[in-house]
Amino acid sequence: MAIIETEATLHEAHRDNHTHRDVNGGWLRPAVFGAMDGLVSNLALMTGVAGGAAGPRTIVIAGLAGLAAGAFSMAAGEYTSVASQRELIEAELDVERRELRKHPKDEEAELAALYEARGVEPWLAREVAGQLSRDPEQALEIHAREELGIDPGDLPSPLVAAVSSFGSFALGALLPVLPYLLGASALWPAVLLALVGLFACGAVVAKVTARTWWFSGFRQLALGGAAAGVTYVLGSLLGTAVG
């Protein structure tokens, strides 16, 4: 009896600890990309304008315009991209659904061949394929997973992607503008806050990747800082040339 209880305890521990993070959801990529893009692009835009010897009012207007334009652009782009991806997946599912309806035996044999190719005994592969093919919806899900590598019940949402992109870009783009809105008249508080935000975003991203928080944070800090530095120099050169 003690052995059974020990095994049950081990099973429960394995079940509780053996979990995976969501790697297919429609929110993570656009949210992370949106925040990073908002920070880097608006910081670079504002430093470029500041490099051209523009005043604080002009820099704020440029930053707010960049925030609005970038957020709407990101949202529209993500919605169109994810919607197109979803429509393509649904079209492929319709093809598979028609094949299951017209040629059920051929599809069952195809599924058995897939299992057999993975090392399952031929007789067992045919038995499993036959049992799974009894339910048309289950058969469609199995074929979609095995042949297309998708889950019909977990398709990405265009609306989720668009909202995530809009909100995260706007939040990221707001950071370099915030010091000016609070009364700052120099560029350095905006740059400092944006760089801190870049490091923080990189560190947060490390929570859902295999990288250490400091490596991911410093990497994003270096990339964003380089972009800001280059655009400041370009702004200075253009301001001198135009002036």
Side-chain angles (χ1 to χ4, degrees):
M1 187 65 179
I3 295 176
I4 295 176
E5 290 177 353
T6 301
E7 290 179 350
T9 302
L10 289 173
H11 174 72
E12 290 174 1
H14 175 76
R15 179 196 62 198
D16 294 338
N17 294 315
H18 192 72
T19 57
H20 295 282
R21 291 161 291 192
D22 180 14
V23 297
N24 293 320
W27 66 272
L28 181 59
R29 184 186 65 85
V32 171
F33 180 71
M36 298 294 190
D37 192 26
L39 266 168
V40 175
S41 64
N42 221 29
L43 175 62
L45 172 64
M46 292 173 64
T47 53
V49 173
R57 184 171 181 274
T58 303
I59 296 173
V60 171
I61 292 174
L64 292 176
L67 185 157
F72 281 111
S73 177
M74 283 287 293
E78 281 295 331
Y79 186 91
T80 301
S81 174
V82 176
S84 299
Q85 178 189 7
R86 186 183 179 110
E87 289 163 2
L88 175 60
I89 292 173
E90 289 173 343
E92 291 300 313
L93 288 175
D94 286 340
V95 171
E96 193 64 35
R97 191 177 286 110
R98 285 196 300 270
E99 289 299 311
L100 286 167
R101 186 174 62 252
K102 293 180 179 179
H103 309 288
K105 290 300 180 183
D106 291 338
E107 290 296 311
E108 181 179 324
E110 186 177 295
L111 188 59
L114 284 172
Y115 289 136
E116 187 176 344
R118 294 184 177 183
V120 179
E121 293 290 337
W123 66 270
L124 182 57
R126 290 192 296 271
E127 181 67 22
V128 171
Q131 291 185 23
L132 293 176
S133 298
R134 292 173 185 171
D135 182 355
E137 287 304 313
Q138 180 176 252
L140 175 64
E141 181 177 338
I142 296 297
H143 279 273
R145 288 178 182 273
E146 296 293 339
E147 297 178 29
L148 303 175
I150 59 174
D151 182 358
D154 189 28
L155 299 183
S157 168
L159 184 59
V160 169
V163 171
S164 297
S165 295
F166 184 94
S168 59
F169 185 99
L171 184 62
L174 179 63
L175 278 184
V177 185
L178 196 57
Y180 282 101
L181 296 178
L182 295 177
S185 57
L187 179 63
W188 69 264
V191 173
L192 180 60
L193 182 59
L195 293 179
V196 170
L198 284 168
F199 182 86
C201 282
V204 169
V205 169
K207 293 293 184 180
V208 292
T209 66
R211 292 291 188 180
T212 58
W213 63 271
W214 56 267
F215 176 87
S216 184
F218 277 115
R219 177 176 61 183
Q220 196 59 41
L221 176 64
L223 293 173
V230 169
T231 52
Y232 184 86
V233 171
L234 290 175
S236 299
L237 294 175
L238 290 172
T240 302
V242 172

